[in-house]
Amino acid sequence: MTSRTIFIYGAPIVAGAFFLIWYILPIGWVVAISFWDYSPIGRNNAPVGLENYREALTQDHVFWAATRNTAYFTFGNVVLGTLLALVIANALSRTGAFTRLAETAYVMPTLFSVVAAAVVWEEIFQPRFGILNNGLYFITDTLGLPPFPEIGWTTTTEWSMPTVILFGLWKFLGLRIIILLAAIEAVPRDLYEAASLDGVTRRQQFFHITIPLIKPALWFVVIAGIINSFQVFEPMYVITDGGPLRSSISIVMLVAETAFERQRFGYSAAISVILFAIILAFTAVLFWLRGRSEAK
Amino acid sequence: MAYELNRRQAILTSAALGALTLPQIAIAAGHGQAATGVPYEKKDQINDGAPIKLEYWEWSGQRADYQRKWAEAYMAMYPNVEIEIVLQPWDSYWPSLITNVPAGAGPAMWHMHASKQTEFCGGDLMDPIPQSAADPAYLAENWIGFAEGAMACGSGSIHTVPMGAMMPLLFVNLDKWEAAGLTEADVPTTWEELRAVAVRLTERDARDRITVAGLSMDGQEWLQNAVYQQGRYLFNEDGTKVQVDNPEYRAALKFIQDLVHTDKALDNEIASTRFEALPAGQTAMYIGFSWIAGFLRANAPDMRWSAFLLPTPDGELPPAYGNIRFAIEAVVNPYADDATKAVAWDFWHFNYSREDVIVEDLALFNGFLPPYAKVLDDGRVTEDPIAATMAPAGQFGVINDLPNVIRDEQLELVTAIVLGQVDLDQLLADSEAAQNSLLSERDDWNIIERNYANHDLMIADQ
């Protein structure tokens, strides 16, 4: 048997084994234990059928709070993040000399670890001593404006989610800008020149040339953003610890808490499977919409 | 007024704490290297002289410093042994252990935490102490925590020794205290006095924004201690249900409500346990367990501070002062191979048989009372200000370590009050239901509060 033959037959086996061990088996295991009252350190592991799913969907108000918060984060992070990235990328594509400098500035937050950045922002958001509130106080005091109220960025139920979204926008904006900027810069310049000669305004160029031609990149940003946002964990965990009063707990935080704090790995697995189903459903719908959009 | 100790085996802690103010306590025989009841003797060699490496996990950098010294002393005796103290952050510490240990991996030893004991007992994740390292009868007779039932798994097996006993205290920044014109005569002994002092210590800027809170606290700990102080236990008699929807819980929460919303003197971030606010000068007083003394000694050597007994509703220690907790020490991985386990247990034995280690490292360094009766009349202990402060309250301490899930729910209660929840009746009813639901997820919680030495002083028939 030649080395070429070995490679031809061996490569798929290695790839398949890798896929089986690192993807199929763990997913299968999670699905399997979601039907059990299971803990790796439990003595009374027993099958419970659909009970874990029933509990999550009909009984556990924290699960629904986590689902709402995750949807809220996803909406804020994806919609605001994509719009903001689109506007900035479009502006950067026209600034010439400053483009690279600005790109670097926007991408910088992406390079920090989420946890390290969140720790810093936790201090910035600290209501009494953080520089954000104190900066606002300084401005209003200096200008002689009415006193700025103390905003409980991380300590009130009203502000905890906006705070986490704000962090998410700062942290994840850079990558979106890079992707969209690359797509915008790939649009042939002569299309814009021809449009200008025909009297098309810049605004019209943006909606009728730029947007249609960068659609694949936009779809990618939206779909990847939704998948990542539904799995959000670190920003909430570090900045607000899911609080106060569970007002910023995410689904993945609940998965971790249920497994490692309450040792209910079976229940935690059921929540994971539900999350998987939600992401799958969203992704399927988005791919369908993309297909329809491209067909037009 | 004299209060008789009424349960011999359940009051070793109280007796031990009381001994700090008494001339002597009856102690078992022993010497400086036999604190576990089995004298440690240096062997000619260990592991047959073959090289062996052990990992010892710890989450506190403060403790890791003295643990490294233990390891160095041990490795000097047995050069074939390498012990690495590995620092792991608290948040990943427990998930790593829970997933690694049953899989036959994980460290040979790790520092244990009392709040995780039930789960680790349930999963057989700690090796029982072998007879060669400690004598259980000796531990029960001479160490706190064993006789009270705080150290054993449901099966009765024991796996480690306590670090010491800690109690809640009121920590005060003396610079801020004196700047407010307060003297020793103003040290609060009642809740009302505490409110008044907190108001005086609160500093505001020109726009009436708090710049220094008068008081901050671990809200969950306040709640627990305040309920005990009024004679109410946290659980029913068999430990299967919580007792939340009652006047004592309500009064404890009302105190916080008044401080936050009426007096505006309480740090509204009490829910996030910002004990660092005290050395940072962001709060003038802090209520927390005595381990904070160790933190302040290590991290704020220039700060002038003092610690006092926690105020009670009427200034009296009975019916109860508050909670006594036992932090606990290192355990050995039951799934480690036999050679590793043998060395780990020998290292364990070497550490905890030494009185100097117990007094200086385990206890006083961390702001605890030593767990070993024989050392309670040691000059280092009797002269320690934290130990001396706690001593009078010792016999009124309720021994119990709450399940983590209950602690979290108590903190939620305090948070709701801080955030302006005013319907206390609804809040208490909802919380009781939530806590009972979480408690029902296991049936092996080690609820031992009813072993309280002065049980007769608590509310009857609760």
Side-chain angles (χ1 to χ4, degrees), chain B residues 51-86:
Chain B
I52 187 164
K53 184 177 177 181
L54 271 66
E55 267 192 22
Y56 180 123
W57 282 14
E58 171 60 72
W59 68 84
S60 159
Q62 216 168 289
R63 283 196 297 262
D65 288 342
Y66 62 68
Q67 287 156 353
R68 283 196 187 93
K69 287 183 193 155
W70 300 350
E72 282 161 14
Y74 190 80
M75 291 187 292
M77 288 195 301
Y78 308 111
N80 60 312
V81 179
E82 184 185 347
I83 298 172
E84 186 184 4
I85 310 295
V86 179

Side-chain angles (χ1 to χ4, degrees), chain A residues 41 43 126-129 137 141 145-148 150 155 157 237 244-246 260-265, chain B residues 91 95 98 102 119 121-125 207 209-211 267-269 274 282 404 412 415 419 438 441:
Chain A
I41 61 168
R43 287 173 171 158
Q126 210 282 333
R128 190 165 302 154
F129 309 103
Y137 299 157
D141 289 354
L145 299 171
F148 198 85
E150 181 176 290
T155 55
T157 51
Y237 188 69
L245 301 179
R246 312 280 189 166
F260 296 113
E261 288 288 320
R262 293 160 62 188
Q263 321 303 330
R264 295 190 63 197
F265 284 76
Chain B
D91 288 335
I98 287 168
E119 289 92 332
C121 283
D124 293 329
L125 298 189
R207 303 242 171 159
R209 292 182 293 236
I210 293 178
T211 53
D267 185 346
N268 61 7
E269 290 198 34
R274 286 176 58 85
Q282 296 165 351
N404 248 0
E412 295 284 278
T415 306
L419 293 178
L438 290 165
E441 288 179 355

Side-chain angles (χ1 to χ4, degrees), chain A residues 1 8 21 25-26 35 64 95 124 181-182 185 226 234 247 273:
Chain A
M1 193 182 284
I8 288 171
I21 292 168
L25 288 180
F35 299 106
W64 285 108
T95 52
I124 292 172
L181 184 59
E185 287 182 341
I226 286 177
E234 295 100 328
S247 61
V273 172

Side-chain angles (χ1 to χ4, degrees), chain A:
Chain A
M1 193 182 284
T2 65
S3 58
R4 180 181 160 80
T5 311
I6 293 172
F7 179 78
I8 288 171
Y9 287 101
I13 292 173
V14 171
F18 182 85
F19 189 68
L20 182 72
I21 292 168
W22 293 106
Y23 291 90
I24 301 298
L25 288 180
I27 291 172
W29 175 247
V30 168
V31 173
I33 66 170
S34 73
F35 299 106
W36 281 63
D37 180 7
Y38 173 81
S39 165
I41 61 168
R43 287 173 171 158
N44 303 315
N45 296 334
V48 292
L50 292 170
E51 176 56 25
N52 287 329
Y53 292 93
R54 191 198 62 77
E55 183 181 342
L57 296 171
T58 66
Q59 218 175 302
D60 189 349
H61 68 277
V62 180
F63 168 77
W64 285 108
T67 306
R68 276 194 302 275
N69 293 337
T70 306
Y72 185 5
F73 179 83
T74 302
F75 180 81
N77 192 37
V78 175
V79 175
L80 292 180
T82 306
L83 286 175
L84 207 56
L86 188 58
V87 170
I88 294 171
N90 191 49
L92 286 178
S93 71
R94 296 163 188 270
T95 52
F98 294 108
T99 305
R100 298 292 163 246
L101 187 65
E103 264 180 17
T104 308
Y106 282 112
V107 169
M108 199 74 85
T110 313
L111 303 178
F112 299 132
S113 95
V114 178
V115 173
V119 167
V120 173
W121 276 90
E122 184 194 11
E123 293 304 313
I124 292 172
F125 284 127
Q126 210 282 333
R128 190 165 302 154
F129 309 103
I131 59 169
L132 188 53
N133 271 354
N134 280 290
L136 294 169
Y137 299 157
F138 177 77
I139 292 168
T140 51
D141 289 354
T142 306
L143 299 177
L145 299 171
F148 198 85
E150 181 176 290
I151 296 178
W153 298 102
T154 56
T155 55
T156 57
T157 51
E158 297 81 17
W159 281 100
S160 57
M161 278 307 298
T163 299
V164 173
I165 290 171
L166 205 58
F167 170 80
L169 288 176
W170 172 83
K171 181 74 183 75
F172 306 116
L173 194 63
L175 202 57
R176 292 183 176 125
I177 290 174
I178 293 292
I179 293 167
L180 295 178
L181 184 59
I184 290 170
E185 287 182 341
V187 176
R189 294 289 104 185
D190 52 0
L191 289 178
Y192 293 110
E193 286 162 14
S196 297
L197 289 174
D198 289 341
V200 178
T201 65
R202 285 201 157 185
R203 190 165 168 274
Q204 288 170 323
Q205 287 176 24
F206 178 72
F207 284 107
H208 297 288
I209 297 175
T210 308
I211 295 287
L213 289 178
I214 65 164
K215 255 188 191 171
L218 264 177
W219 277 113
F220 173 76
V221 166
V222 169
I223 292 172
I226 286 177
I227 293 172
N228 288 334
S229 297
F230 266 109
Q231 298 176 60
V232 66
F233 175 77
E234 295 100 328
M236 280 96 160
Y237 188 69
V238 177
I239 296 176
T240 62
D241 197 19
L245 301 179
R246 312 280 189 166
S247 61
S248 60
I249 189 171
S250 70
I251 297 180
V252 177
M253 269 190 83
L254 182 63
V255 167
E257 180 188 296
T258 311
F260 296 113
E261 288 288 320
R262 293 160 62 188
Q263 321 303 330
R264 295 190 63 197
F265 284 76
Y267 185 55
S268 176
I271 298 172
S272 303
V273 172
I274 294 171
L275 174 63
F276 175 73
I278 292 171
I279 295 174
L280 192 66
F282 264 94
T283 312
V285 169
L286 286 169
F287 270 102
W288 177 71
L289 287 173
R290 192 184 75 164
R292 275 189 55 177
S293 148
E294 283 172 357
K296 283 179 184 173

Side-chain angles (χ1 to χ4, degrees), chain B residues 40 43 45-48 52-54 74 78 80-81 83 108-109 127-128 130 132-133 332-350:
Chain B
Y40 184 82
K43 297 153 189 66
Q45 60 177 18
I46 195 155
N47 197 41
D48 297 327
I52 187 164
K53 184 177 177 181
L54 271 66
Y74 190 80
Y78 308 111
N80 60 312
V81 179
I83 298 172
M109 305 173 76
D127 206 38
S132 59
V332 171
N333 187 338
Y335 296 97
D337 61 70
D338 289 345
T340 303
K341 273 205 283 193
V343 177
W345 276 117
D346 193 69
F347 180 53
W348 186 98
H349 187 196
F350 169 68

Side-chain angles (χ1 to χ4, degrees), chain B residues 150-165:
Chain B
M151 296 303 298
C153 287
S155 61
S157 60
I158 55 171
H159 305 266
T160 189
V161 289
M163 283 173 72

